[in-house]
């Protein structure tokens, strides 16, 4: 019984809630169904305090969870769902109007007015930041000044506004490098003035890596893999959770590759080009860069060695073999 309940709750957290702020194809009927799911989750959250098995399961999952919506927030599931839907400006106008009506009935006019005020502030912030980044194509644009101006604005935003802003900025050319300009990635030491913002960036990157179905996931993976090795290693050293999320992403990408026979033996090829982000060569290059950093090698090798022992681990045995060759070659240079 409780297993099916957990599956329903996970469906809300993994599917419905992320779709509320990322999908544009919402309908009025879909909004009603999603709100019903939210009400269901609220009831389950209250019942979990009276049900020992559910409470234990929730406590365990809460510790393991890295989702945008925490299990402790399920008691207000409809609030978080509707708030995200209101912030989603990609939804059609008539559906936005319907969402506001449903929100007023469910949350009250005062709460909805406060959410709409946040949306208005978010739009103004987007205009400011867009003005700052619009000159990226100009050859003589002062990169350092642009970064500082961007942070001045970002530091005044709410967490949700920062997340949405980062999602836009990471899509511009060299966007992630701009985001990391004020972070002391190479030695994992933060500037005291930027600690709060830096933490939010790391948490945002971590969340994006752990949500493969999110539209921003592919951009974040590609941007991280395109970073200079020293900057990538510094970033991964700054947060263990981010390191684990990044390695898990490499593992997911590795499982999308299949061995194809050829004249020289076999090669690892994407089974579905539309879903794969990284090639076998990418995996070797990225993991070689990680292993060049001695502080990361022990933690990373322990995780990858465990993958090699499991079903589907053949690809990682090959990756490790090629990585050792690549690392030895670099060390001899």
């Amino acid at each position: 019984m409780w297993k099916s309940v957990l599956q329903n709750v996970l469906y809300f957290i993994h599917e419905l809630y992320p779709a509320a702020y990322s999908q544009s194809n919402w309908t009025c009927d879909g909004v009603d169904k999603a709100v019903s799911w939210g009400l269901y989750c609220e009831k389950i959250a209250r019942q979990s305090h009276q049900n020992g098995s559910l409470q234990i399961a929730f406590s365990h999952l809460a510790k393991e969870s890295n989702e945008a919506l925490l299990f402790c927030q399920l008691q207000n599931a409809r609030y978080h769902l509707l708030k995200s839907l209101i912030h989603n400006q990609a939804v059609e106008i008539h559906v936005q109007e319907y969402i506001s009506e449903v929100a007023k009935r469910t949350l009250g006019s005062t709460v909805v007015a406060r959410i709409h005020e946040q949306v208005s502030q978010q739009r103004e912030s987007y205009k400011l930041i867009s003005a700052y980044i619009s000159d990226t194509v100009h050859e003589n644009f002062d990169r350092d000044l642009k970064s500082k101006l961007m942070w001045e604005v970002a530091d005044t935003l709410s967490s949700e506004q920062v997340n949405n802003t980062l999602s836009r900025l990471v899509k511009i050319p060299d966007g992630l490098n701009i985001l990391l300009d004020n972070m002391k990635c190479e030695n994992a030491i933060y500037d005291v003035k930027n600690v709060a913002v830096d933490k939010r960036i790391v948490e945002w990157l971590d969340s994006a890596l752990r949500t493969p179905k999110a539209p921003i996931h592919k951009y974040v993976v590609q941007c991280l893999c395109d970073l200079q090795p020293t900057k990538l290693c510094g970033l991964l050293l700054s947060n263990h959770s981010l390191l684990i999320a990044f390695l898990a992403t490499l593992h997911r990408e590795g499982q999308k590759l299949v061995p194809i026979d050829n004249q020289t033996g076999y090669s690892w090829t994407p089974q579905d080009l539309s879903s794969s982000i990284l090639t076998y060569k990418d995996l070797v290059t990225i993991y070689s860069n990680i292993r060049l950093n001695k502080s990361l090698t022990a933690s990373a090798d322990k995780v990858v060695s465990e993958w090699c022992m499991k079903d589907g681990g053949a690809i990682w045995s090959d990756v490790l073999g090629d990585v050792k060759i690549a690392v030895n070659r670099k060390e001899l240079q």
Side-chain angles (χ1 to χ4, degrees), residues 41-246:
C41 288
E42 290 176 7
K43 292 179 179 178
I44 294 302
R46 288 194 295 270
Q47 291 175 6
S48 68
H49 295 292
Q50 302 170 349
N51 185 311
S53 298
L54 273 177
Q55 193 169 20
I56 292 172
F58 274 2
S59 298
H60 175 72
L61 286 172
K63 292 177 182 178
E64 300 293 328
S65 176
N66 286 285
E67 302 300 329
L69 185 69
L70 303 177
F71 280 85
C72 63
Q73 295 175 305
L74 283 177
Q75 292 185 17
N76 299 303
R78 286 177 295 172
Y79 166 79
H80 294 291
L81 175 78
L82 289 166
K83 181 180 178 182
S84 293
L85 283 169
I86 292 173
H87 274 270
N88 187 348
Q89 299 300 300
V91 176
E92 293 183 8
I93 296 297
H94 76 281
V95 180
Q96 288 184 26
E97 294 172 351
Y98 184 73
I99 290 169
S100 292
E101 293 175 7
V102 173
K104 288 176 183 177
R105 293 198 301 267
T106 307
L107 308 175
S109 299
T110 303
V111 173
V112 174
R114 196 158 53 239
I115 295 174
H116 278 294
E117 184 179 353
Q118 291 175 354
V119 173
S120 179
Q121 292 173 352
Q122 183 185 75
R123 287 176 179 171
E124 291 303 313
S125 298
Y126 282 166
K127 290 178 183 178
L128 287 172
I129 293 174
S130 294
Y132 294 146
I133 67 174
S134 62
D135 260 341
T136 52
V137 294
H138 295 319
E139 186 176 349
N140 297 322
F141 187 82
D142 188 335
R143 178 187 171 114
D144 184 59
L145 175 61
K146 179 180 63 175
S147 179
K148 291 183 183 303
L149 286 172
M150 183 186 68
W151 285 122
E152 255 184 60
V153 177
D155 201 31
T156 66
L157 306 180
S158 68
S159 294
E160 189 168 0
Q161 289 172 319
V162 168
N163 290 345
N164 290 331
T165 301
L166 294 177
S167 296
R168 293 182 62 190
L169 290 174
V170 80
K171 295 180 183 180
I172 69 172
D174 209 26
L176 189 58
N177 266 312
I178 296 171
L179 293 176
L180 300 178
D181 270 349
N182 284 357
M183 292 179 67
K184 310 299 183 183
C185 291
E186 279 146 24
N187 56 9
I189 298 175
Y190 290 113
D191 182 342
V192 174
K193 293 180 181 178
N194 291 317
V195 145
V197 177
D198 294 345
K199 182 181 179 182
R200 285 193 284 181
I201 294 175
V202 172
E203 289 175 348
W204 175 78
L205 289 170
D206 184 89
S207 176
L209 288 176
R210 294 175 187 273
T211 317
K213 293 183 180 180
I216 200 65
H217 175 78
K218 182 177 181 180
Y219 290 99
V220 171
V221 174
Q222 290 173 331
C223 289
L224 284 172
C225 293
D226 288 340
L227 286 176
Q228 294 178 350
T230 53
K231 185 168 285 189
L232 173 63
C233 290
L235 185 59
L236 297 179
L237 277 170
S238 72
N239 187 282
H240 184 69
S241 177
L242 183 63
L243 169 63
I244 297 303
F246 185 70

Side-chain angles (χ1 to χ4, degrees), residues 326-333:
V327 171
N328 289 336
R329 188 181 298 126
K330 288 182 180 179
E331 290 177 344
L332 290 173
Q333 291 177 351

